[in-house]
Amino acid sequence: MTLGTISQLWRYPVKSMGGERIQAAPISLRGIPGDRGWAVFDETRAGITTGKRVNVLRQCSARYLTEPVAGEAPPAAQLTLPDGTSLASTSPEAARRLSEAAGRPLSMRCLGPAGTEAAPRVSSASDSPDEVRALMGILPGETEPDYSMFTAESLRALRLGNFFDAYPLHLLSDTTLRTLKGITPECDWDERRFRANIVFASAERTGYPEHAWEGKHLRIGEARLEVVMGCPRCVMVTLAESGLPADPRIMRTLVRETEHIAGVYVRVTQPGAVRVGDAIELA
């Protein structure tokens, strides 16, 4: 059964920065090679940080000049800063400029080859309840997202050797975006806000089709994937980035309409190549 076709493929060389559209990718067990291959390290808090904590990262973008290879450490990424300056992720100047923009000491960290440990992440243990709610993008009185499936142990296992929030791939349908746009037309529901790896044109015209796929197996090109869960959103989708203004109404709509969810997380069960135009089918 055909569920849709890939309309966009995205790779994000640096965690929390804008990514690059690609036409094809050899998906591995670690997702798209080079995806979140780099991240920004907060020297004060001794961990990998994100755009939730350092908003200026959302106004930066990155791309690879050399194609990453599955299982290997990613090559240097070319960063574009908010003022248009381009720098290599390996350049000390990149860390200095990001530190100045953020008002705190930052550095760039790279993943190693498959099987090596990744740099630790900023701990939220010292965050106050108000700080946690701000990071999630929710207001007092709004329900919190359901993170009950993410125990400390399961998160440690999922994040071993990578910079992902949880799972290696994220799928989002144009139907979900179109439905949300119909509910809150004054918001710009640009797919870039949601940082999906695969944006697809769904066979369904309304609703949130991918939200019903939990537990199902998909065939896309040569790859086989398992849909694990809906993707709970946070303040990231509301932050300003190139060409998109900050808009907290995005989260108000998601909290009210979808219980924070937009798109789905998937794991890779069989590596294989995928490309724009490939059909998404039930396996």
Side-chain angles (χ1 to χ4, degrees):
M1 176 181 178
T2 299
L3 304 173
T5 57
I6 297 177
S7 57
Q8 298 178 30
L9 276 175
W10 286 85
R11 175 174 63 197
Y12 302 89
V14 181
K15 185 176 179 67
S16 286
M17 292 188 184
E20 55 183 346
R21 286 181 66 169
I22 55 179
Q23 291 301 303
I27 291 179
S28 73
L29 294 177
R30 291 212 298 182
I32 295 175
D35 190 46
R36 278 79 170 187
W38 290 82
V40 176
F41 191 87
D42 186 323
E43 297 289 344
T44 301
R45 299 193 64 168
I48 295 298
T49 192
T50 71
K52 293 193 290 274
R53 298 178 184 275
V54 183
N55 292 176
V56 71
L57 299 185
R58 296 298 289 122
Q59 299 168 46
C60 302
S61 62
R63 66 189 183 101
Y64 287 115
L65 301 181
T66 302
E67 279 297 304
V69 176
E72 297 183 7
Q78 183 182 59
L79 314 183
T80 300
L81 305 184
D83 65 0
T85 301
S86 291
L87 296 166
S89 56
T90 50
S91 168
E93 183 69 7
R96 186 185 71 79
R97 294 286 298 275
L98 285 172
S99 298
E100 288 179 351
R104 69 185 75 182
L106 304 172
S107 60
M108 299 296 301
R109 297 295 176 93
C110 177
L111 290 179
T116 59
E117 290 189 20
R121 307 182 188 222
V122 168
S123 170
S124 59
S126 62
D127 293 332
S128 70
D130 286 345
E131 288 171 326
V132 170
R133 295 184 75 85
L135 293 172
M136 290 190 293
I138 58 177
L139 300 176
E142 288 184 328
T143 59
E144 296 187 9
D146 180 9
Y147 289 130
S148 60
M149 70 296 294
F150 291 132
T151 65
E153 293 76 15
S154 67
L155 272 181
R156 277 195 294 270
L158 287 170
R159 292 174 171 178
L160 188 63
N162 62 66
F163 292 142
F164 300 126
D165 287 342
Y167 293 93
L169 286 174
H170 171 34
L171 276 66
L172 178 68
S173 73
D174 61 358
T175 301
T176 288
L177 295 178
R178 186 167 53 248
T179 299
L180 292 166
K181 177 70 173 178
I183 294 169
T184 316
E186 62 271 24
C187 296
D188 190 337
W189 294 91
D190 191 293
E191 68 276 356
R192 289 175 296 163
R193 291 190 185 276
F194 299 89
R195 302 176 60 74
N197 297 110
I198 297 175
V199 179
F200 66 96
S202 172
E204 299 184 40
R205 305 311 303 163
T206 61
Y208 314 100
E210 66 271 35
H211 294 184
W213 297 352
E214 186 172 331
K216 290 182 168 58
H217 291 258
L218 307 176
R219 180 171 53 250
I220 307 178
E222 299 172 357
R224 302 294 182 271
L225 312 172
E226 179 190 2
V227 180
V228 181
M229 58 177 288
C231 181
R233 315 316 304 206
C234 66
V235 74
M236 285 279 282
V237 298
T238 74
L239 300 178
E241 58 181 289
S242 178
L244 292 173
D247 192 345
R249 296 172 299 181
I250 297 283
M251 276 306 299
R252 305 288 73 74
T253 303
L254 292 172
V255 170
R256 184 179 69 249
E257 301 292 335
T258 68
E259 298 182 337
H260 305 254
I261 302 298
V264 291
Y265 277 135
V266 300
R267 63 163 57 97
V268 181
T269 58
Q270 177 183 309
V274 302
R275 64 180 56 253
V276 171
D278 279 348
I280 299 175
E281 302 172 306
L282 286 177

